[in-house]
Amino acid sequence: MFELDCSTVFPGCERVIRADSEAGVIRRAIAQANAFGIMRISPSMMDAMRGRIVELPAAAERAA
């Protein structure tokens, strides 16, 4: 399970995005950005998203 705290990339976003893969987190983060009115994801935003995704330990997956 992978996780991204949306507020670290998009100021004002309070969502924590989780998915089974990094690609899934990125897809959900882009959808969240679109909901915030951000229609173009710049290369630096994409780098920021990739750099802030964390892999959760297996124990955290079972607890969620």
Side-chain angles (χ1 to χ4, degrees):
M1 181 69 64
F2 294 86
E3 177 180 282
L4 171 68
D5 180 348
C6 192
S7 68
T8 63
V9 181
F10 308 114
C13 182
E14 296 180 8
R15 205 167 156 214
V16 175
I17 300 168
R18 292 188 184 103
D20 291 331
S21 67
E22 288 186 51
V25 171
I26 294 288
R27 279 192 298 276
R28 291 178 182 181
I30 290 170
Q32 185 66 30
N34 292 160
F36 264 64
I38 301 167
M39 296 300 149
R40 182 183 175 279
I41 304 299
S42 69
S44 62
M45 282 176 146
M46 189 61 75
D47 289 343
M49 282 190 272
R50 285 189 188 112
R52 291 178 175 94
I53 294 174
V54 295
E55 186 171 6
L56 299 175
E61 290 179 32
R62 287 190 297 269

